[in-house]
């Protein structure tokens, strides 16, 4: 990745930092390395997993939730000081239109109930959306706010569409080839969210095509659950409890 960027943009200063979002020690190490920089202007929380079998992390959380939400929550919190050193810091949380189908049970983060990979993935994407909205809400009272915006890529033919086994896995791979847009098009909403100067905190960017599955970036609407302040407060507190990481600055 770094070499291809340098080839495409001669003179670009590119560094690669490895971080395992399922490992809090790795997240802390990466945050220290990145935080040594003068400031972090934009953080895009984009990494994710999907369609994995049920397993539980050391923190007691199901793996989709741990990687897709808790890892990003921890990294963002640890990078808060570096973000606040920027004159206009921004955090982009990448969710999915599947967040609209997700349900968060904060009393059963290990998914001891009946487990399906798609339901767990959708719940983790709802957690992404709730977190991005809650961060925006909390930053409203800050004298030097971090702008929290959200984005989703629509239905994009990325390696995630090649996950899964059996009939579901085959269906995902075929559907991805036939109906999904290119990864390049899927990247546009989060690039827009990261660079459009006039976006307000809490904005949500997705494709403008039918059903939000494909197209060019436009402002779209989060689900009612994602905008719920009480769910946002509870998820924030539960995330701090599970990761053992709190924000440096009180924002409420």
């Amino acid at each position: 990745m770094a070499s291809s960027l340098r080839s495409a943009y001669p003179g670009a200063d590119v560094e690669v930092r490895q971080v395992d979002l399922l490992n809090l020690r790795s997240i802390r190490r990466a945050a220290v390395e990145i935080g040594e920089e003068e400031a972090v202007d934009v953080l895009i929380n984009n990494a994710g997993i999907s369609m994995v079998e049920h397993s539980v992390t050391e923190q007691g959380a199901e793996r989709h939730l741990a990687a897709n939400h808790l890892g990003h929550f921890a990294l963002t919190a640890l990078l808060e000081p570096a973000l606040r050193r920027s004159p206009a810091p921004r955090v982009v949380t990448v969710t999915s239109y599947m967040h609209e189908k997700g349900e968060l049970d904060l009393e059963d983060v290990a998914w001891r109930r009946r487990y399906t990979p798609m339901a767990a993935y959708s719940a983790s994407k709802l957690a992404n959306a709730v977190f991005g909205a809650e961060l925006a809400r909390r930053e409203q009272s800050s004298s030097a706010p971090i702008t929290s915006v959200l984005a989703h890529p629509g239905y994009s033919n990325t390696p995630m569409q090649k996950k899964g086994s059996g009939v579901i896995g085959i269906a995902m791979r075929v559907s991805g080839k036939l109906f999904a847009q290119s990864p390049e098009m899927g990247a546009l909403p989060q690039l827009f969210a990261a660079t459009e100067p006039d976006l307000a905190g809490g904005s949500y960017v997705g494709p403008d095509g039918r059903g939000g599955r494909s197209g060019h970036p436009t402002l779209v609407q989060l689900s009612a659950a994602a905008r719920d302040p009480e769910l946002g407060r509870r998820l924030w507190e539960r995330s701090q409890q599970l990761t053992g990481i709190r924000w440096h600055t009180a924002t409420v």
Side-chain angles (χ1 to χ4, degrees):
M1 176 63 74
S3 59
S4 63
L5 285 172
R6 293 189 188 102
S7 297
Y9 304 98
D13 184 7
V14 180
E15 294 185 18
V16 175
R17 310 281 188 180
Q18 291 188 334
V19 57
D20 179 355
L21 290 174
L22 286 168
N23 187 316
L24 286 174
R25 290 181 294 275
S26 175
I27 294 170
R28 289 182 182 276
R29 182 170 59 250
V32 168
E33 294 174 355
I34 297 169
E36 291 174 347
E37 306 295 331
E38 181 176 343
V40 172
D41 296 310
V42 180
L43 172 63
I44 303 178
N45 289 320
N46 176 58
I49 60 174
S50 71
M51 303 303 292
V52 298
E53 296 301 318
H54 182 264
S55 64
V56 179
T57 66
E58 292 180 4
Q59 290 73 43
E62 185 276 324
R63 194 155 41 134
H64 284 97
L65 183 69
N68 295 354
H69 166 63
L70 293 175
H72 289 135
F73 178 91
L75 182 63
T76 308
L78 292 169
L79 288 177
E80 182 196 354
L83 284 159
R84 295 204 187 275
R85 290 197 292 270
S86 170
R90 182 175 297 199
V91 173
V92 179
T93 302
V94 180
T95 180
S96 164
Y97 60 82
M98 290 298 295
H99 89 269
E100 299 172 9
K101 300 182 181 296
E103 296 182 5
L104 273 178
D105 183 351
L106 297 178
E107 301 305 316
D108 182 21
V109 295
W111 274 77
R112 300 302 182 190
R113 60 194 182 280
R114 183 175 180 273
Y115 176 84
T116 66
M118 185 59 73
Y121 172 76
S122 299
S124 73
K125 292 288 101 180
L126 175 56
N128 288 148
V130 173
F131 166 63
E134 177 66 8
L135 178 57
R137 193 177 297 115
R138 289 173 177 247
E139 287 298 311
Q140 288 176 349
S141 60
S142 173
S143 59
I146 296 170
T147 300
S148 172
V149 295
L150 302 100
H152 81 86
Y155 184 28
S156 303
N157 192 21
T158 68
M160 274 195 173
Q161 303 307 321
K162 300 175 176 63
K163 300 291 184 181
S165 58
V167 175
I168 293 178
I170 294 172
M172 287 180 65
R173 287 187 283 275
V174 172
S175 178
K177 288 183 178 180
L178 293 178
F179 304 113
Q181 65 179 353
S182 69
E184 290 79 7
M185 286 296 294
L188 290 182
Q190 62 207 64
L191 290 174
F192 184 91
T195 59
E196 172 56 42
D198 297 327
L199 282 182
S203 297
Y204 181 36
V205 182
D208 63 359
R210 184 176 180 180
R213 301 304 192 260
S214 62
H216 291 85
T218 190
L219 290 178
V220 292
Q221 181 79 355
L222 283 170
S223 68
R227 304 193 309 273
D228 181 0
E230 176 60 18
L231 182 57
R233 181 193 64 78
R234 291 175 55 232
L235 177 65
W236 192 278
E237 291 178 355
R238 193 77 168 101
S239 300
Q240 290 186 141
Q241 179 187 48
L242 289 166
T243 62
I245 296 172
R246 304 185 69 86
W247 281 65
H248 296 78
T249 304
T251 52
V252 291

